[in-house]
Amino acid sequence: MFKGFIVTLCLTLCAALALAAEPGQLRIGYQKSSVSMVLAREHQLLEKALPGTQVQWIEFPGGPQLIEALNGGSVDVGNIGDIPPIFAQAAGIDLQYIGVEPSDGKTEAILLPKNSQAQSLADLKGKRVALLKGSSAHNFFLKSLQRAGLKLSDVNLVYLSPADARAAFEQGKLDAWVIWDPYYSAALLDGSAHLLSDGQGLDSGGSFYIASGAFVRQHGAAVAPILKAFGAAQQLSFDQRDASIDSMTRILGLQRPVVESYFSHRSRSPLQGIDARVVASQQRTADLFLANHLIPKAVRIEQIVFKSE
């Protein structure tokens, strides 16, 4: 009788572990400019990594909308910039960092109208500068100002979505636009802008992979194969560059030279888990946003970092 109980218990535990390792459903939130996510979808890498899982891909226009969906329980895993998770943590949203594609800052830029005479950030004092609030561009611009000895109050900051900012920029209503690829490359190549500076040397956080707290508590064993699939997609973008550019050109609906420029700005640093260096960098960013009254309270990044058993 006791032996039968042990066998039953073992079978129950094994079934539970199998469930934890391979969820029945995986809902991925992505933006179509996320190369690794799009290529993983195109090549069905997650479906191959988790053959017993139904994978659903949900597209979002930006990180804040993706976070909102994750908070509402309709997304399990997503890929966003460095700032949305900080805003989410400050708001008490239940999420965890599970991985990151490091960045060297080349995919973000401060753009000037083609006829602008500005030579430095100091020349933008009192000028209209547009960016998306709570985005990686917000972080990049704040750190750019800090390096130049300036403050946010030194410019007339205008919060606009990328689409609205591009329209205002082209209509001559802005003195600068802080934006990321592929918008950055598109504006340069169509001749409407020139580059003031990019994010090199500014402690860029990178592109983060996040998951809902509920998902990792129930399916923590699935995190490793999920990240492995996205890492394989990232490597595919380097190993099969031309084919990957073709895919992204079709999906983004942009001219191929724009996507080629975007790819040339991408870092080759491989996707990785969240280590102490990444935590420290993200904590510095969170502290900077708190000091500038951009988040309502202090956050501790290490508290929401996924730790595999």
Side-chain angles (χ1 to χ4, degrees), residues 245-261:
I245 289 174
D246 288 340
S247 293
M248 292 301 296
T249 297
R250 170 175 51 82
I251 290 162
L252 291 170
L254 297 171
Q255 295 182 348
R256 198 176 196 279
V258 172
V259 181
E260 288 176 335
S261 175

Side-chain angles (χ1 to χ4, degrees), residues 30-36 38 180-183 248 252 262:
Y30 76 103
Q31 300 170 62
K32 66 180 181 180
S33 60
S34 174
V35 174
S36 297
V38 170
W180 56 85
D181 266 321
Y183 299 99
M248 292 301 296
L252 291 170
Y262 176 17

